[in-house]
Amino acid sequence: LQRQLVITCLLSVAGLVSPRTWEDCFDPIALENDGVPRIYSDDDNIENMAKDVDIIMHGHPTTLFEEVDPYRITSEPSSAPSATPSSEPSNSPTADPSSTPSTSPTISSAPSTLEPTKRPTMHPTFSVASVPNNPKPGYFNYDPSSPYGPNYWRNIDIDQSNPGFFHEEFDLNEGSRIFNDCGSDDKQSPIDLCTKPRGICTETHEMRPKPGDYKMSGNLIEKQILPSMLRLVMEPRTGEEPDPPQIDFSSNGRGITDMTNIDFKFPSEHSICGHKLDGEMQYYTFHPMRKRFVAVAFFLDATEGNPRNNHLQEVIDAFTVEFVKNKKKCEAKQQGLAGSFVGGRGLEMINKTAEDLEFHELFHDDNKQWNSTLQSNRRLASSWHPFDPEVQKSVHFWGYSGSLTEPPCTKNSVDWKVMDVPTPISPKQLQQFKHLLFNHVDGNCKRTSVHNSEGSVARPTQPASRYYKCTRAEYVSDEERLVCGDQGCVIPFGAGLNPYYAPLVHVTGPPTRRPSSK
């Protein structure tokens, strides 16, 4: 560049070129903001100028994907504009109208839906596991036509001696008999949430999470690929340290509670004004005195064009390690069975299924070698915050009293808080989540997933319960309150003074606050 600049200055003295000012000759940086493009390159090789180059225009770097002549930057057009049009305008229409216009034009009918769908519906490609010949007590699936499907969950046998249900370990019934409440219409979950809440929000501040000391690797967070969900199980507290993730709720949570597990369901179980989203994360905390769960639900949105969510990719990577570990157990068993064949020939054909190819396409790249579980675990050694800004986009939610969303559907056992802004993930991440759940095989090479033909492990919505909606009218984020006071700032902020995101829908029904007595 220095050599080019000297040549340009000499030419300008000779009158062959005309720089804007002499400052270009000794201080080119001084004019970066005057609107004149200037070229920057790592070397002076003219051949490189035909490649992508960075220029500064109006103070901002810009990449040009075209050939650029570094020696010729002019402020005048290359030629004068033409004084006459290129062709004569036509005096007659190019073609006769197709038909005589109607004297009474027709009006098209209203669209069948109020809103367009987010994107075309894709047919699922996941194979559905068959019902076991002799299902164990408590077996259920999501096939609506199956005797074990949601329409018949009320008939599921609850084995009193060995319930086998994770949440029953918390003694929700306080030692009494466990009942199957799946056939009850009393405070069941999930439900549809919309714009006209009938309850009143009594929250006085946002939920205040604490990340705790647990890491995604190791034994403190157990990764489980279950028939109906992906689940992260937090090791129960055994002393002062280490701490599991915790949440401080302002009202019906009654103080700080430890997180017990995080469940991933596809698609979402709750719906918004009749619309399901791509997935749902459910954070369960347990209040030991009230014998009650408080569950915080985040919708997952995989709209086309969404970037990768790096924080949730750590979760996907952790489940992938578990997926591969079980797959290798299956392969080892196949290897043993193949020994009875001719030297094991044909085993490669047994393993190379369409699902294997799909796994390779979804999970293998230059940065991931899932054949090395140890290497994958090293990458998961950092701490993981369930309420990272990539996850939590809002401090407001719908709330109601409901149930567990799978058998035994214990009624009125969960205080639900469903966040009003979804967590974005990329479409590829959604496919990774689904592959890990729907295509999982255990160490005995048996499929474990109980999804239906539509690729769903979501319980259908239940009769509506009385719900409320917390908005900015009730509280703003703690940081915004600290900066601007209880009423918040003129320009709203999200959690932690992060950008504010509008809720999925705005409440248009009765106010959620109690009316003034004045």
Side-chain angles (χ1 to χ4, degrees):
L1 280 177
Q2 292 178 351
R3 184 169 66 253
Q4 296 170 14
L5 190 59
V6 170
I7 294 173
T8 303
C9 292
L10 292 176
L11 291 176
S12 68
V13 173
L16 300 179
V17 299
S18 178
R20 290 175 63 95
T21 72
W22 272 97
E23 290 181 51
D24 286 284
C25 293
F26 59 86
D27 189 14
I29 304 301
L31 293 184
E32 281 188 356
N33 293 323
D34 69 352
V36 178
R38 286 171 174 78
I39 299 172
Y40 294 83
S41 178
D42 294 335
D43 54 52
D44 296 330
N45 189 345
I46 297 178
E47 294 180 358
N48 288 339
M49 294 302 171
K51 302 178 182 179
D52 299 345
V53 296
D54 291 332
I55 68 172
I56 301 296
M57 297 190 68
H58 302 285
H60 300 287
T62 304
T63 299
L64 296 184
F65 299 96
E66 59 186 3
E67 185 173 359
V68 177
D69 182 356
Y71 300 107
R72 188 171 185 272
I73 301 176
T74 67
S75 58
E76 299 180 357
S78 57
S79 62
S82 173
T84 58
S86 57
S87 61
E88 294 292 333
S90 174
N91 293 324
S92 58
T94 57
D96 294 331
S98 58
S99 62
T100 304
S102 171
T103 57
S104 56
T106 59
I107 300 176
S108 61
S109 58
S112 58
T113 58
L114 296 178
E115 299 179 0
T117 56
K118 184 170 56 179
R119 56 183 176 274
T121 301
M122 303 296 291
H123 294 289
T125 59
F126 305 104
S127 301
V128 179
S130 58
V131 176
N133 294 328
N134 297 302
K136 297 180 180 179
Y139 172 83
F140 64 92
N141 61 32
Y142 289 84
D143 183 356
S145 62
S146 168
Y148 301 97
N151 296 332
Y152 301 96
W153 282 1
R154 63 183 181 275
N155 300 326
I156 291 176
D157 180 27
I158 304 299
D159 188 347
Q160 300 296 320
S161 61
N162 182 22
F165 300 114
F166 173 77
H167 293 107
E168 290 302 324
E169 297 177 8
F170 296 88
D171 193 21
L172 297 177
N173 298 77
E174 300 187 77
S176 61
R177 178 183 174 86
I178 301 172
F179 291 96
N180 184 343
D181 293 333
C182 295
S184 170
D185 291 336
D186 184 18
K187 295 188 176 181
Q188 288 290 298
S189 298
I191 64 172
D192 182 62
L193 303 160
C194 201
T195 61
K196 298 184 182 297
R198 294 183 293 127
I200 296 172
C201 175
T202 60
E203 309 280 337
T204 58
H205 63 73
E206 65 170 295
M207 61 183 75
R208 294 165 176 163
K210 298 181 179 180
D213 306 313
Y214 290 9
K215 304 180 186 300
M216 191 55 64
S217 61
N219 298 325
L220 294 179
I221 301 180
E222 182 182 359
K223 279 68 68 175
Q224 298 179 349
I225 303 179
L226 302 176
S228 59
M229 71 188 74
L230 301 173
R231 171 173 283 168
L232 299 174
V233 179
M234 309 298 164
E235 181 74 17
R237 179 189 300 275
T238 57
E240 292 297 327
E241 297 289 343
D243 291 326
Q246 302 169 294
I247 308 177
D248 176 11
F249 298 100
S250 72
S251 61
N252 60 347
R254 301 297 191 275
I256 300 177
T257 55
D258 290 348
M259 188 175 295
T260 60
N261 60 288
I262 301 177
D263 295 344
F264 295 81
K265 308 282 284 189
F266 306 96
S268 68
E269 295 202 294
H270 292 89
S271 60
I272 302 299
C273 301
H275 295 277
K276 294 269 192 179
L277 278 82
D278 295 308
E280 184 172 328
M281 291 187 299
Q282 300 168 350
Y283 294 6
Y284 283 87
T285 69
F286 183 68
H287 198 290
M289 301 300 294
R290 300 177 65 220
K291 294 293 183 182
R292 192 172 183 82
F293 287 99
V294 182
V296 180
F298 290 89
F299 290 112
L300 296 176
D301 172 49
T303 298
E304 197 69 36
N306 277 0
R308 185 176 102 151
N309 188 311
N310 292 320
H311 202 63
L312 287 186
Q313 189 63 46
E314 295 183 41
V315 177
I316 294 174
D317 292 349
F319 279 120
T320 305
V321 172
E322 186 70 16
F323 182 95
V324 171
K325 181 174 67 176
N326 292 334
K327 188 173 185 293
K328 286 186 175 296
K329 290 180 180 178
C330 169
E331 290 175 349
K333 184 171 184 177
Q334 286 181 326
Q335 290 280 359
L337 292 175
S340 58
F341 297 99
V342 183
R345 286 196 297 246
L347 182 62
E348 183 176 354
M349 183 177 297
I350 296 175
N351 287 332
K352 294 298 181 182
T353 65
E355 291 169 6
D356 292 326
L357 297 177
E358 180 180 294
F359 177 86
H360 187 276
E361 179 180 351
L362 285 173
F363 295 93
H364 280 71
D365 57 36
D366 293 338
N367 298 320
K368 293 178 183 176
Q369 297 295 328
W370 294 113
N371 290 332
S372 173
T373 303
L374 180 60
Q375 177 181 348
S376 301
N377 274 331
R378 287 199 195 104
R379 300 192 303 109
L380 303 174
S382 59
S383 59
W384 191 80
H385 191 345
F387 287 85
D388 184 87
E390 282 197 273
V391 174
Q392 182 183 7
K393 301 295 183 181
S394 172
V395 297
H396 300 113
F397 54 85
W398 288 272
Y400 74 100
S401 180
S403 72
L404 303 174
T405 62
E406 59 182 39
C409 311
T410 306
K411 63 183 179 181
N412 195 23
S413 61
V414 183
D415 291 328
W416 282 96
K417 300 177 186 294
V418 183
M419 306 305 292
D420 64 0
V421 175
T423 298
I425 61 174
S426 71
K428 181 177 181 179
Q429 287 179 308
L430 176 63
Q431 292 305 310
Q432 288 175 326
F433 269 125
K434 289 184 174 181
H435 185 99
L436 294 172
L437 176 59
F438 298 159
N439 291 328
H440 177 253
V441 294
D442 61 18
N444 294 317
C445 302
K446 294 185 180 297
R447 290 184 174 274
T448 59
S449 179
V450 290
H451 62 276
N452 61 26
S453 60
E454 296 179 355
S456 172
V457 286
R459 186 188 188 189
T461 53
Q462 302 300 298
S465 297
R466 182 184 179 90
Y467 63 86
Y468 61 91
K469 176 67 166 65
C470 291
T471 69
R472 288 179 60 84
E474 282 70 48
Y475 59 85
V476 297
S477 70
D478 289 346
E479 289 82 0
E480 185 177 349
R481 178 183 294 177
L482 183 64
V483 173
C484 299
D486 290 346
Q487 300 305 313
C489 304
V490 175
I491 300 177
F493 291 92
L497 293 182
N498 288 307
Y500 173 79
Y501 295 88
L504 287 165
V505 294
H506 290 279
V507 173
T508 58
T512 55
R513 271 193 157 174
R514 297 183 183 276
S516 173
S517 58
K518 297 180 179 180

